[in-house]
Amino acid sequence: MSLEKLSKEIISEAQKKALAITEEGNTEAEAIMGKAKKDSQANDRKSGEQTKKILEEISQVELSGLNLLLNKKRMEAKKIVLDEVFEQAKKEIEDMDKAKKAELAKKLCARAQSELPNAKFVYSNESDKKTVSAVKGLTFKDTIDCIGGVIIENSDGSIKINYTFEEILEKVKEENLHEVANRVFAKTQ
């Protein structure tokens, strides 16, 4: 075989191998591109799902925040209504007949005397002064600014019992707020 023929044959073989390698590379490249495209689509789906999940979580947080705000506004409205209920009760006490207020002041004096055996002094508003001054065992000390009721004090002034109508109403409010709220809002809940 001549050198030229051998050279052609080697070149031809090399070209065949190069073509085969190129075709194999192209096939491999197409497979890699196909896989990359599938992976990209899967990632796009996954990203879309993650985005959707994040948006749902954001919506849930916003909804929770709105629910909290709504509950706060409801509680504020209920507090306003309850305050109005107790203000109305106070107004009714203020408008109570003077004779009835005086009778209640006497009963409160008697109750305080039973709770405070060394009760000595009594305080009341101006309109109940005459009534409480007549209570046996108590000395009228001074007038106070209240809608009714009394404050009883022991002889050395170290103990006072506050039975003013305002104080009694406040205690009733504290002790019975839940029950009053249930009654007032029973129809709306």
Side-chain angles (χ1 to χ4, degrees):
M1 215 193 271
S2 75
L3 192 55
E4 197 176 297
K5 195 175 182 185
L6 183 61
S7 166
K8 284 184 183 180
E9 204 174 292
I10 291 174
I11 290 175
S12 173
E13 278 297 314
Q15 286 176 341
K16 285 181 188 177
K17 280 186 180 183
L19 185 61
I21 289 172
T22 303
E23 286 177 6
E24 188 178 313
N26 286 340
T27 305
E28 207 172 298
E30 286 176 16
I32 290 171
M33 288 297 286
K35 185 177 181 328
K37 189 174 182 179
K38 283 181 185 178
D39 287 349
S40 174
Q41 289 171 345
N43 284 338
D44 286 350
R45 276 193 306 274
K46 197 181 243 185
S47 292
E49 290 169 6
Q50 287 174 341
T51 301
K52 184 178 176 183
K53 186 177 179 181
I54 289 169
L55 289 174
E56 287 172 359
E57 288 173 359
I58 290 170
S59 294
Q60 190 63 36
V61 167
E62 287 175 349
L63 184 59
S64 295
L66 289 174
N67 282 336
L68 285 174
L69 182 62
L70 181 60
N71 285 338
K72 180 181 176 188
K73 293 295 182 185
R74 280 188 193 134
M75 295 304 288
E76 288 171 358
K78 285 181 178 183
K79 183 185 180 319
I80 289 169
V81 169
L82 289 173
D83 287 345
E84 288 174 4
V85 166
F86 282 101
E87 273 303 311
Q88 181 61 35
K90 184 178 177 182
K91 178 78 172 119
E92 288 178 23
I93 292 169
E94 286 175 349
D95 295 344
M96 189 186 306
D97 178 72
K98 283 187 179 190
K100 187 166 182 152
K101 278 187 182 180
E103 184 61 33
L104 286 172
K106 277 195 236 177
K107 287 181 180 180
L108 291 171
C109 285
R111 181 176 176 184
Q113 284 177 307
S114 70
E115 291 176 16
L116 186 62
N118 61 346
K120 177 78 173 158
F121 301 108
V122 62
Y123 300 79
S124 74
N125 63 16
E126 188 65 41
S127 64
D128 293 334
K129 179 180 177 179
K130 184 177 179 182
T131 303
V132 299
S133 293
V135 174
K136 192 174 186 178
L138 292 176
T139 304
F140 185 81
K141 192 159 184 183
D142 202 359
T143 59
I144 54 174
D145 183 24
C146 66
I147 59 175
V150 295
I151 294 177
I152 304 295
E153 182 178 64
N154 67 353
S155 56
D156 67 2
S158 62
I159 300 174
K160 288 185 180 182
I161 298 176
N162 187 342
Y163 280 146
T164 59
F165 293 162
E166 291 93 327
E167 184 68 19
I168 293 168
L169 185 60
E170 189 60 35
K171 284 181 182 177
V172 167
K173 182 179 179 180
E174 288 173 12
E175 293 171 3
N176 299 297
L177 185 62
H178 185 70
E179 183 181 334
V180 172
N182 285 342
R183 287 184 182 182
V184 170
F185 301 112
K187 293 177 185 173
T188 62
Q189 292 178 350

